[in-house]
Amino acid sequence: MLKIAIQKSGRLYDSSIHLFKECGIELNNGHKQLKSTAFNFPLEVFFLRDDDIPQYVFDGVADLGIVGENVLLEKNKAIHQVSRLGFGKCRLSVAVPKGMEYHSPADLNGLKIATSYPLLLQQFLTANNILAEIHEISGSVEIAPGIGLADAICDLVSSGSTLFTNGLKEVEVLLHSEAVLAVNHDLPADKQVILDKLLLRINAVKAARNNKYILMNAPDHQLKNIAAILPGMKSPTIVALAEPGWSSVQSVVNENDFWDVIEKLKEFEAQGILVVPIEKMIV
Ligand code: ATP
Ligand code: ZN
């Protein structure tokens, strides 16, 4: 049985549960309990505060955990990241009052900076030769300058609207973070086997998220051109249509290249292009 720690409630909870679901792992009961057991996969889920997860994984109370990279790096435990999960995206940034002139990190010299990330902030200050005072607070960091507690802050940002409503502007990005899977270093062999099974499923879900299945009709004289831009998993599937001179082409395209590919397909006279989401993709 593999023991995984996830956030009890908060920004990572829903996406963590959704990931299990996409992996076909069903849990017995909700997060009102301390833990829950999956009934169709050897997995036990612990619901914890995100800040505690790195320590629990390090101690081996949990074998692995889902946690923001920001928390993982700040807690600085000897556990290792095995997968980036693509949700909980945010930045750890320094922000200063809107009216303050800011040109470079040197402008932070002598300031008092409030943060819940003293280690990551200190690393940034040291790397830039800045002497500033770090004031550690655990929450509502964004109000610190407004109430005279600090001159600047270092906090998580996603849209930036919280900074804006507090009269702050983002001036330095220390880290681009997302949720990751972090694992204890000394996983026994039997647990490693289960982890590999879990990773196979997670990778299939991640690959499916980034790819679309695409079908179209194309004139035969363009098939070479079309096959060249649609590599698919090996090569595209091409099936003759009942109408002479035409074929149906099927392939997989990456989300990043998607619109480029569509434009080219149209140039090569493809018609009736259908784009279908993929549920799982095992490469
Ligand atoms: P807990 O009660 O578990 O300690 P918390 O209040 O520390 O919860 P949340 O605010 O739920 O934590 O954030 C959890 C994680 O979500 C963060 O550590 C970060 O990785 C990610 N995250 C994504 N966007 C944001 C954001 N705009 N602000 C804060 N965290 C964000
Ligand atoms: Zn927390």
Side-chain angles (χ1 to χ4, degrees):
M1 181 79 82
L2 199 63
K3 292 177 284 183
I4 185 167
I6 69 167
Q7 195 186 20
K8 184 176 166 58
S9 61
R11 287 184 153 98
L12 303 181
Y13 175 77
D14 287 339
S15 301
S16 303
I17 294 294
H18 185 66
L19 178 67
F20 294 145
K21 210 173 264 168
E22 286 181 304
C23 288
I25 297 172
E26 290 173 52
L27 300 182
N28 273 325
N29 39 31
H31 63 304
K32 297 283 174 271
Q33 328 276 331
L34 172 66
K35 60 182 184 173
S36 173
T37 311
F39 55 79
N40 55 1
F41 194 83
L43 191 72
E44 190 169 25
V45 183
F46 292 170
F47 302 102
L48 299 167
R49 282 201 59 201
D50 66 343
D51 313 64
D52 298 333
I53 292 176
Q55 181 72 51
Y56 278 103
V57 173
F58 176 73
D59 291 340
V61 175
D63 303 308
L64 68 163
I66 294 178
V67 72
E69 222 176 347
N70 50 304
V71 171
L72 186 64
L73 294 173
E74 176 66 29
K75 300 295 176 189
N76 199 22
K77 299 285 174 223
I79 57 179
H80 67 281
Q81 180 182 317
V82 289
S83 184
R84 296 173 74 81
L85 299 174
F87 58 84
K89 288 191 177 170
C90 57
R91 318 183 280 284
L92 180 66
S93 294
V94 172
V96 301
K98 239 177 257 164
M100 177 180 149
E101 252 192 62
Y102 185 92
H103 304 288
S104 73
D107 294 323
L108 299 172
N109 261 314
L111 299 189
K112 190 170 174 183
I113 310 174
T115 189
S116 309
Y117 295 87
L119 180 75
L120 294 176
L121 175 57
Q122 187 56 61
Q123 285 171 353
F124 169 79
L125 296 174
T126 306
N128 286 282
N129 274 320
I130 308 297
L131 278 179
E133 185 187 334
I134 297 179
H135 188 78
E136 185 178 349
I137 49 180
S138 60
S140 304
V141 173
E142 67 284 353
I143 65 167
I147 59 172
L149 195 66
D151 307 303
I153 66 164
C154 171
D155 202 11
L156 298 176
V157 183
S158 44
S159 68
S161 59
T162 308
L163 293 183
F164 185 81
T165 48
N166 285 282
L168 301 168
K169 60 179 178 187
E170 187 176 2
V171 292
E172 298 288 344
V173 177
L174 278 53
L175 173 73
H176 287 275
S177 179
E178 67 185 79
V180 298
L181 200 62
V183 180
N184 180 283
H185 263 301
D186 306 313
L187 218 54
D190 57 328
K191 292 194 175 195
Q192 186 63 49
V193 171
I194 308 173
L195 175 61
D196 290 343
K197 285 187 182 168
L198 180 65
L199 284 174
L200 176 84
R201 294 188 187 197
I202 289 177
N203 290 333
V205 167
K206 274 168 47 178
R209 253 187 231 152
N210 292 333
N211 288 282
K212 299 270 182 269
Y213 195 71
I214 185 165
L215 303 94
M216 76 215 69
N217 295 330
D220 288 344
H221 68 272
Q222 292 284 13
L223 288 177
K224 258 209 180 95
N225 289 332
I226 289 180
I229 54 166
L230 284 180
M233 289 175 61
K234 246 195 182 64
S235 64
T237 306
I238 298 178
V239 190
L241 289 189
E243 186 173 330
W246 282 81
S247 295
S248 163
V249 182
Q250 303 167 25
S251 190
V252 169
V253 246
N254 191 283
E255 190 107 68
N256 299 330
D257 315 325
F258 186 73
W259 288 110
D260 281 348
V261 169
I262 297 285
E263 279 169 23
K264 285 193 192 128
L265 289 176
K266 294 206 62 98
E267 275 171 37
F268 294 141
E269 302 170 67
Q271 296 180 0
I273 305 174
L274 294 182
V275 178
V276 186
I278 298 171
E279 197 182 288
K280 306 277 186 301
M281 186 165 149
I282 294 109
V283 288

